[in-house]
Amino acid sequence: MDRPLLSTSHLANGLRRLVADIAAPNGPTGSGLSDVICAESDLISFGDQQIRFCGIDVCELANEHSFESVIWLLLNGDLPTLEELSDACAVMSESAVVEPTASETVAGLPLRTRPLDLLPLSISLISYFDPTPADRTTGATHSRVWRVLAQLPVLFSVAFGQPLDDGRATDPQDGGGLSFAGSLLQVLRSDQRPPSPREEAAMNAVLTCQCLTEMRPACFAARVVGSTVNDVVCALRASASLFVAQLHNDPYQWTAEKLSSFPSPQHAEVWWKSRKSRGMPFGFSGANDDPRPRILKAHCRELLGCATRVRMEAAAARLERLMENDQQQYPTMDWTAARLLALLDVPPERISLAIGMARLAGWAAHAIEHHASGVSLLPSLRYASE
């Protein structure tokens, strides 16, 4: 008489295990933070063929506003008034001077030092001379971001062999007419040649388009630091270090060198076909809904003033057409940024440094936003038991 009861009990337990198995996640245990939503952000939003920074279309920002205005937008959530923008530009101009100890340290680096490695090192050097290291108020934090961005090009100039004039990369009387984008471009060029207005506008578009991305490792590093400490410079150091480490084999440099190596578009096509349909190792994706590559490509077409640029641009256009027709792959913002910076005569090994300078503004905004949210990103860890 007890046997039916035992059968019913076994059946119930089996059903419970079946339900538990069905309800269990399909992924393996210990999969980390993949697909985990850690917070929300108002900094960047994605729509149908449109990307907005703090609610403003990136096309408008890249074509109608200076990078200084975009920095203000990321830090404050709104575009600056003319007076606020003027004050911010004045702060950057006044801050674009470094201490002799910092410049001497950079000047003494080995000649083989990779330009991109200057980014985290220079941020650290600048932090040692912070005039208000203990002030963590919002205003002081924002001022710290402006100062770091202003002083970094000065240290880069020293590393590239340019003498300073009373701690400055250029005499304010001579370089005062350039925007931040124009001044940075001048520093990055091998000959330190001042850019034309058209070149300055193209550099401004690169910095604007590149300053915010989807959640990449360096962005997450900024948010992790922001969730644990209220120190924006610490967040910038962490993000810059991770950014540099990921670019051990620099794809931006590879892209610029490859485009510069083709004597003609036909040579570019022959090279691509020799890869036996393997496609491009960097800079293309199956999506074509990001407007930023189109913004940068428009600026590329504005810079065709010599045979070298025409040849490089024609080779890039041929490769893009081949990728689209044969593999339905489209250029990304990273590919077009490398292409445009090469046209702007930035040496290939310095292009990733320009990208990093653009991203600094976004990393700072991520860290500040996440700190204000109060969301902790400290996970729990399962420890092995003996």
Side-chain angles (χ1 to χ4, degrees), residues 66-76 80 84-85 87-96 126 138-153 180 232-233 236 357 361 364:
S66 67
F67 187 58
E68 292 91 330
S69 295
V70 176
I71 298 171
W72 182 281
L73 172 69
L74 299 185
L75 296 179
N76 297 279
E84 289 169 336
L85 180 58
D87 289 343
C89 292
V91 169
M92 293 196 82
S93 178
E94 293 169 3
S95 301
I126 289 170
T138 299
T141 296
H142 290 184
S143 295
R144 199 167 287 118
V145 174
W146 289 106
R147 286 197 299 272
V148 169
L149 285 168
Q151 292 169 355
L152 283 173
F180 176 78
V232 71
V233 177
L236 293 178
M357 283 295 293

Side-chain angles (χ1 to χ4, degrees), residues 43-364:
L43 294 174
I44 186 170
S45 58
F46 301 88
D48 184 21
Q49 301 285 317
Q50 193 175 55
I51 292 178
R52 293 184 176 89
F53 294 169
C54 298
I56 300 178
D57 191 340
V58 69
C59 296
E60 175 187 338
L61 294 174
N63 294 324
E64 301 178 19
H65 297 278
S66 67
F67 187 58
E68 292 91 330
S69 295
V70 176
I71 298 171
W72 182 281
L73 172 69
L74 299 185
L75 296 179
N76 297 279
D78 296 298
L79 285 170
T81 64
L82 289 177
E83 182 178 357
E84 289 169 336
L85 180 58
S86 177
D87 289 343
C89 292
V91 169
M92 293 196 82
S93 178
E94 293 169 3
S95 301
V97 57
V98 297
E99 293 291 333
T101 303
S103 61
E104 290 166 5
T105 300
V106 170
L109 293 174
L111 293 177
R112 66 179 181 274
T113 301
R114 189 172 63 143
L116 183 57
D117 290 331
L118 294 169
L119 189 59
L121 171 64
S122 298
I123 294 171
S124 294
L125 288 173
I126 289 170
S127 70
Y128 296 141
F129 300 98
D130 190 336
T132 57
D135 192 343
R136 296 291 186 265
T137 61
T138 299
T141 296
H142 290 184
S143 295
R144 199 167 287 118
V145 174
W146 289 106
R147 286 197 299 272
V148 169
L149 285 168
Q151 292 169 355
L152 283 173
V154 182
L155 289 180
F156 298 160
S157 183
V158 173
F160 299 153
Q162 298 300 317
L164 294 185
D165 181 7
D166 197 21
R168 294 180 177 273
T170 57
D171 188 332
Q173 300 284 331
D174 298 330
L178 291 177
S179 66
F180 176 78
S183 298
L184 178 61
L185 177 56
Q186 181 177 1
V187 167
L188 292 176
R189 284 174 159 173
S190 297
D191 58 3
Q192 299 274 301
R193 185 178 78 258
S196 68
R198 186 169 293 177
E199 291 173 331
E200 187 175 16
M203 184 66 175
N204 188 80
V206 171
L207 297 179
T208 297
C209 289
Q210 280 282 350
C211 68
L212 279 179
T213 66
E214 69 278 5
M215 184 59 68
R216 298 187 183 182
C219 301
F220 184 66
R223 300 191 78 94
V224 168
V225 175
S227 77
T228 53
V229 295
N230 184 18
D231 186 343
V232 71
V233 177
C234 182
L236 293 178
R237 280 200 303 264
S239 298
S241 296
L242 186 52
F243 178 75
V244 170
Q246 282 195 296
L247 296 183
H248 178 70
N249 295 315
D250 191 337
Y252 298 100
Q253 180 177 348
W254 177 88
T255 299
E257 290 176 343
K258 183 59 65 178
L259 290 176
S260 300
S261 69
F262 297 127
S264 69
Q266 290 76 18
H267 286 83
E269 183 170 350
V270 169
W271 170 83
W272 184 83
K273 290 182 176 179
S274 71
R275 296 180 58 81
K276 297 179 181 178
S277 301
R278 286 182 294 163
M280 297 288 285
F282 172 74
F284 286 81
S285 74
N288 193 32
D289 55 357
D290 188 340
R292 289 173 292 184
R294 294 188 287 276
I295 295 172
L296 299 181
K297 286 169 67 174
H299 281 281
C300 288
R301 292 190 288 270
E302 295 283 330
L303 297 175
L304 305 182
C306 65
T308 300
R309 289 182 175 182
V310 171
R311 173 175 50 79
M312 190 185 305
E313 178 65 10
R318 177 71 62 87
L319 289 173
E320 290 178 5
R321 187 162 60 251
L322 289 168
M323 288 294 294
E324 179 178 352
N325 293 340
D326 295 354
Q327 296 190 356
Q328 288 72 57
Q329 294 282 304
Y330 304 92
T332 64
M333 172 182 62
D334 290 327
W335 164 273
T336 47
R339 168 181 168 183
L340 181 51
L341 288 166
L343 291 173
L344 288 169
D345 303 320
V346 176
E349 68 276 9
R350 298 181 187 179
I351 286 178
S352 56
L353 186 57
I355 302 297
M357 283 295 293
R359 300 275 175 86
L360 277 170
W363 297 337

